[in-house]
Amino acid sequence: MTIFRERPAREATTEAAATTAAREVGSRITLKDLKVGEVAHIVDFLVENDAMKKIEAMGLRRGKKITIMQKLGRGIVVKTSNSRIVITSDVARNIEVK
Amino acid sequence: MTRTIKVALAGNPNVGKTTLLNHAAKTNLKVGNWAGVTVEKREGFLSYNGFDIHFIDLPGIYTLEPISEDEWIAYNFISEEKPDVIVDVIETTNAERDLLLTTELLELERPMIIALNMSDEAKKLGIQVDSIHTGELLDIPVIKTNGRNGDGVKELLDAIVASAEAHRPPKTVRYSEQVEQALGSLEKRNHDGKMDKRALLKMLIEGNGRNEEKASLEKFFRKDINSIIKDERYAFAHGFYNESFKRRKPTARDLTDRIDKVLLHPILGFFIFLLVMFLLFKISFDFSTPFMNWTQGLIDNFFSPLVLSLLSDIGAGKWLPQFFSQAIVGGVGFVITFVPLIGMIYFLIALLEMSGYMPRIAFIMDRFMHRLGLHGKGMIPLLLGFGCNVPAVMATRTLENKRDKLLVMAMIPFMSCPARLVVFSFFAVMFFVHPAMVIFSLYLLGIAIGLLTAFFLRKTAYRGRLSHFVMELPPYRVPRLRTVLQIAWVQVKSFMYRAGTVIFAASVVIWVLLNTPPNLKSQSDSAAAYVGKAITPVLQPIGIKDWRISTSLIPAFLAREIVLSSMGTIYSVDVQKKNTEFHFLPALEVQMKGFASATKESFMSLLTPSIQTLQADEGDQGLRSVIRSSFTPASALSFMIFLLLYTSCLATVAVMAREGGKKFAFLFLAYSFVMAWGVAFVVYQVGSLL
């Protein structure tokens, strides 16, 4: 789903700010774009909010190697070290990977 | 006098704190709530080497930064209640992640112990840790533990006692040169006495008044102060991890990944989930039904006659025996018969939870749920609702967002529970050719109304985007039977406590109403009958024209199946007048034999493929003929629908008020009444035309 890139920014909510941030990165790859089985490294977090703080504390940190274990609907299972974390695509699109 | 040592168990979720606590405190556990919030509080008590150790199991958290409710609780507890010792439980296999919390705990500079839990799993995955070296780095005891078999628990207890006696803080955490300098100069300016590292950092971040330190740090690192501190903590945790933990190549492939390939498979996973649900229902219903019947028999044929014969021996008039058999046996006794079912449900839920499958259900179902505007995690409470609404409402705690939580809570009471099934099967068999179809349709109707309610709420009170979700999937583990039994037992205990308090009080009130004014000739003159007659006009349009039926609906508020017994009483039918002769020993023998055959029946029922309990039974013949004359098929159906939807039982309302607030519970009560009336009205009016 890449519709959000064309959609005009709404009010200055965090939601809209996130959308803008995602649009600005343009060609950058986010965690949301990865397919099941792909391995990548986390480069950066594109927004700063409580959800990001939480996933960082849960072990998804800059420079960490991640593997996409499964994708279902909006849910993505990401494995890093020995922990498996489910995040939804609205969170995943704000995590830049390479 | 023995000294009490207050120990806080802190750690990330799923690191095995609870199992460790169960090992240390055995059965001496208590579940309650943290004051003012609905997060579960577990405590354990034990005497050890002349000390009373009081464990407080803090909610599982990833960081001490108070973002969520859980983190607030843990943070407040540690900073306000000042436990004597903090035990930081680390899942050795995930130590790199867990050490962030450890770093934050160390900043508090309070006596602390690290428990490296799941050391057996770590070994398998090729993770080695030198606990002595780690302990020396921080100057605190580091103990390897294993929640599965209790290894290391004794050493942990010894360390707790030694730590509390020595009262020695750990080595101070050292951050980078620049940050340490800033903290040093802040401390110099501060004259409030010695502060711990965390308090100093807080001062630096908040920067009350002039704070050149903050400004110069932000300039130096070109980052805002929160990011600086966060990165410093991560750096410390990371360095500490590299210093103490060694990873070799794993010896075996990760079993959890292989199981997940199947259980989280987009198609296969869904069908396995359905199978697991089917088994959950089958086992909890079929296995407990014989025991429920036995419990009821034990109360009706043993305890009740025993007490009655004792009462008549001491010459206790007419009033006391009546109170006993109607209020205590009828009200509290009835609820107690549900203990086997509730215990079984809790047992299976604990089993699913400890095995690690539970959060995976949320993941699998979110794909369907989120299209309906519901959170995947909401699936678990809704499923529990079919077993009993009370634990289902409590299970909504796993939903972090209040809106998602209330939404699911408003759906739960429409999930039909076994108490309603008892009444459905009684009426359906009597008035319909295909009772099973009628019962099944009622279940579906409940689900439909639940979804409609959610839809309605999403469009009005609970608008807005569905919240994102972030959740950990713990590794699969084989649960220990003893731990699962302990958890189930603690829950059963608190259920029985409720039966003895709230439900007892309500039973007394209703009994008094049924027997006021004193020395009634018939119950049609009682206060309860008066109330019943008063509400009859309201119920007339849905086909309930007899005051005796509307009166029987009042005590049904205690528990739905009471409708049958109270109809029996009001219609003055001898529902179960047994011979008054009571002999203790033969009666006891009958009960023991009954228990043996109930056990046999339970296990046998597991061998059949379908759910036995759902097959309607014959029931009581005496009451049947009287009721048959008071109902038509249309009014019977409307009555069942009303009973399915109207209000909830007292226990559910009580727990809803606790979890969602009194206002929410009462609004829901009113809403469900209107809904029940409306649907029953349509069904009755249409049905009468046919």
Side-chain angles (χ1 to χ4, degrees):
Chain A
M1 266 218 321
T2 47
I3 321 153
F4 66 88
R5 288 189 187 160
E6 279 93 50
R7 209 188 288 160
R10 275 164 286 164
E11 304 92 358
T13 56
T14 42
E15 210 54 59
T19 317
T20 321
R23 192 168 346 118
E24 274 165 10
V25 292
S27 61
R28 285 187 200 173
I29 309 165
T30 67
L31 203 153
K32 193 184 165 215
D33 307 320
L34 297 175
K35 292 189 184 66
V36 176
E38 281 189 318
V39 179
H41 286 84
I42 295 180
V43 178
D44 205 1
F45 298 100
L46 303 177
V47 290
E48 236 185 89
N49 55 31
D50 284 352
M52 289 297 163
K53 261 190 212 160
K54 186 169 178 192
I55 63 169
E56 243 186 307
M58 285 171 93
L60 290 177
R61 292 165 197 170
R62 281 188 192 86
K64 291 286 290 199
K65 189 175 124 187
I66 53 159
T67 313
I68 306 294
M69 304 302 287
Q70 190 59 270
K71 285 174 105 167
L72 264 188
R74 60 176 188 149
I76 304 169
V77 182
V78 183
K79 186 176 177 183
T80 181
S81 305
N82 280 314
S83 53
R84 295 159 192 84
I85 298 158
V86 175
I87 55 176
T88 40
S89 47
D90 52 347
V91 177
R93 69 154 188 242
N94 287 321
I95 303 172
E96 195 197 336
V97 295
K98 71 166 186 213
Chain B
M1 209 185 96
T2 50
R3 208 190 126 194
T4 302
I5 305 174
K6 202 157 39 163
V7 182
L9 283 177
N12 287 194
N14 303 311
V15 295
K17 280 188 300 139
T18 310
T19 327
L20 218 51
L21 177 64
N22 284 3
H23 265 296
K26 303 281 184 296
T27 49
N28 217 346
L29 295 170
K30 204 175 90 186
V31 248
N33 275 334
W34 293 90
V37 288
T38 55
V39 179
E40 200 166 75
K41 181 182 188 182
R42 283 175 186 277
E43 289 171 278
F45 304 87
L46 96 150
S47 296
Y48 187 81
N49 285 355
F51 289 88
D52 282 333
I53 305 184
H54 176 190
F55 283 103
I56 298 99
D57 190 3
L58 299 178
I61 50 170
Y62 295 102
T63 162
L64 263 193
E65 285 303 306
I67 304 170
S68 73
E69 204 173 39
D70 287 357
E71 284 139 13
W72 268 110
I73 291 163
Y75 173 74
N76 273 342
F77 182 83
I78 292 176
S79 54
E80 315 253 314
E81 305 246 336
K82 303 232 182 291
D84 298 303
V85 180
I86 299 169
V87 174
D88 176 25
V89 184
I90 289 180
E91 181 185 10
T92 314
T93 48
N94 257 324
E96 193 177 359
R97 176 200 69 194
D98 291 19
L99 287 174
L100 169 68
L101 181 66
T102 309
T103 309
E104 291 176 319
L105 290 170
L106 285 167
E107 285 173 5
L108 294 164
E109 294 171 8
R110 301 191 58 77
M112 184 165 142
I113 296 166
I114 288 180
L116 290 171
N117 204 21
M118 318 259 177
S119 42
D120 54 331
E121 278 181 22
K123 215 171 176 181
K124 269 187 218 147
L125 289 170
I127 296 165
Q128 284 181 323
V129 46
D130 183 347
S131 60
I132 299 167
H133 177 62
T134 314
E136 280 168 357
L137 281 178
L138 301 171
D139 198 17
I140 60 172
V142 175
I143 318 276
K144 281 186 189 175
T145 56
N146 180 348
R148 223 184 297 279
N149 55 20
D151 277 358
V153 170
K154 200 188 157 296
E155 289 84 345
L156 184 64
L157 292 174
D158 286 333
I160 287 170
V161 170
S163 232
E165 292 221 285
H167 199 79
R168 196 166 49 149
K171 237 180 225 170
T172 313
V173 179
R174 297 279 304 172
Y175 291 126
S176 68
E177 200 62 45
Q178 289 77 14
V179 173
E180 288 298 333
Q181 262 175 17
L183 291 178
S185 75
L186 255 183
E187 195 170 18
K188 231 173 270 164
R189 272 200 290 125
N190 177 56
H191 304 293
D192 297 348
K194 178 121 181 62
M195 292 172 83
D196 62 50
K197 191 119 196 166
R198 195 176 170 83
L200 273 174
L201 284 167
K202 191 162 172 261
M203 207 165 141
L204 181 65
I205 290 169
E206 284 169 3
N208 40 350
R210 53 190 204 112
N211 189 345
E212 306 93 41
E213 289 86 359
K214 177 178 163 185
S216 71
L217 273 180
E218 286 188 338
K219 202 171 150 208
F220 183 86
F221 286 103
R222 294 183 185 187
K223 278 191 284 198
D224 94 305
I225 192 75
N226 279 304
S227 299
I228 298 172
I229 304 301
K230 191 180 72 189
D231 291 346
E232 291 279 337
R233 281 176 180 146
Y234 282 133
F236 180 87
H238 191 71
F240 179 52
Y241 177 78
N242 286 340
E243 186 78 15
S244 321
F245 292 78
K246 301 270 173 291
R247 284 197 72 149
R248 281 184 294 110
K249 258 197 112 44
T251 44
R253 268 187 62 202
D254 199 331
L255 192 61
T256 295
D257 284 347
R258 277 188 286 173
I259 299 175
D260 270 344
K261 278 239 156 56
V262 181
L263 295 192
L264 296 186
H265 187 275
I267 300 154
L268 213 53
F270 178 67
F271 286 103
I272 293 174
F273 160 72
L274 290 182
L275 182 71
V276 169
M277 281 309 108
F278 173 76
L279 287 176
L280 183 76
F281 282 113
K282 173 164 173 59
I283 297 173
S284 53
F285 285 148
D286 283 356
F287 195 81
S288 57
T289 306
F291 289 109
M292 281 165 74
N293 292 338
W294 176 78
T295 314
Q296 197 176 352
L298 182 74
I299 293 169
D300 288 346
N301 305 328
F302 185 72
F303 275 120
S304 174
L306 176 68
V307 175
L308 288 177
S309 78
L310 285 177
L311 286 175
S312 82
D313 282 353
I314 59 166
K318 189 172 157 244
W319 179 86
L320 203 58
Q322 213 178 38
F323 172 77
F324 173 78
S325 52
Q326 288 171 353
I328 298 185
V329 175
V332 179
F334 227 112
V335 179
I336 292 292
T337 57
F338 278 85
V339 164
L341 178 67
I342 302 228
M344 200 63 214
I345 290 173
Y346 277 124
F347 175 80
L348 293 174
I349 298 302
L351 202 68
L352 280 186
E353 227 161 14
M354 303 290 286
S355 70
Y357 186 59
M358 206 61 124
R360 285 164 171 93
I361 295 178
F363 173 69
I364 294 169
M365 290 310 287
D366 186 69
R367 152 171 70 149
F368 306 105
M369 300 280 283
H370 96 271
R371 295 215 184 122
L372 298 167
L374 294 165
H375 206 282
K377 285 186 193 173
M379 194 63 206
I380 297 158
L382 287 175
L383 286 171
L384 293 181
F386 289 107
C388 178
N389 289 177
V390 176
V393 172
M394 286 201 268
T396 57
R397 287 169 187 176
T398 50
L399 292 155
E400 288 129 44
N401 186 304
K402 181 138 193 182
R403 193 186 62 204
D404 296 340
K405 184 175 154 167
L406 293 180
L407 204 58
V408 173
M409 222 187 278
M411 294 175 74
I412 289 170
F414 297 115
M415 305 299 130
S416 185
C417 60
R420 279 168 263 188
L421 182 67
V422 174
V423 185
F424 295 164
S425 50
F426 182 84
F427 277 85
V429 168
M430 198 160 37
F431 290 100
F432 299 97
V433 192
H434 300 294
M437 276 309 291
V438 174
I439 293 174
F440 186 63
S441 314
L442 285 167
Y443 269 77
L444 289 185
L445 178 71
I447 296 170
I449 300 287
L451 289 174
L452 204 69
T453 305
F455 179 78
F456 171 71
L457 286 173
R458 290 280 308 167
K459 292 281 170 219
T460 55
Y462 302 137
R463 280 161 80 150
R465 272 177 65 96
L466 186 61
S467 72
H468 64 264
F469 88 84
V470 173
M471 175 182 71
E472 198 184 341
L473 300 180
Y476 291 107
R477 292 183 177 123
V478 180
R480 279 183 73 249
L481 185 65
R482 219 182 66 188
T483 314
V484 175
L485 283 173
Q486 272 171 0
I487 293 173
W489 170 239
V490 169
Q491 301 282 4
V492 167
K493 224 164 50 178
S494 84
F495 173 80
M496 291 202 285
Y497 177 76
R498 266 203 316 275
T501 51
V502 185
I503 295 175
F504 174 71
S507 305
V508 170
V509 169
I510 286 165
W511 182 81
V512 168
L513 283 177
L514 274 166
N515 290 283
T516 321
N519 301 319
L520 285 172
K521 280 205 192 65
S522 85
Q523 285 195 316
S524 67
D525 299 324
S526 69
Y530 182 76
V531 178
K533 281 173 191 166
I535 60 170
T536 304
V538 180
L539 300 177
Q540 207 138 8
I542 66 166
I544 301 173
K545 296 176 174 131
D546 193 328
W547 71 267
R548 289 175 294 191
I549 302 169
S550 40
T551 307
S552 75
L553 283 171
I554 302 170
F557 182 52
L558 285 183
R560 292 252 200 359
E561 69 280 21
I562 293 183
V563 104
L564 292 182
S565 62
S566 54
M567 271 183 186
T569 324
I570 298 168
Y571 277 96
S572 351
V573 176
D574 258 1
V575 185
Q576 38 184 249
K577 261 274 155 62
K578 291 273 148 60
N579 53 335
T580 42
E581 287 286 301
F582 179 75
H583 301 288
F584 183 77
L585 282 175
L588 187 67
E589 200 190 321
V590 169
Q591 290 307 322
M592 304 230 297
K593 278 187 186 149
F595 185 76
S597 75
T599 312
K600 193 179 142 211
E601 210 182 312
S602 289
F603 283 101
M604 293 304 284
S605 72
L606 296 185
L607 299 175
T608 58
S610 65
I611 299 181
Q612 302 277 308
T613 316
L614 288 178
Q615 282 148 22
D617 60 348
E618 275 305 301
D620 185 46
Q621 288 301 329
L623 185 57
R624 211 163 271 264
S625 58
V626 193
I627 285 181
R628 203 189 288 272
S629 59
S630 299
F631 283 95
T632 62
S635 70
L637 190 59
S638 134
F639 180 76
M640 282 191 282
I641 289 172
F642 189 71
L643 202 78
L644 166 72
L645 305 175
Y646 98 117
T647 60
S648 321
C649 67
L650 183 72
T652 309
V653 177
V655 76
M656 273 174 105
R658 203 177 68 197
E659 304 284 320
K662 284 200 184 69
K663 195 177 139 209
F664 175 79
F666 285 115
L667 274 176
F668 180 80
L669 213 60
Y671 163 77
S672 71
F673 186 86
V674 171
M675 202 70 186
W677 194 90
V679 178
F681 176 76
V682 172
V683 168
Y684 176 66
Q685 296 300 337
V686 172
S688 302
L689 292 176
L690 295 175

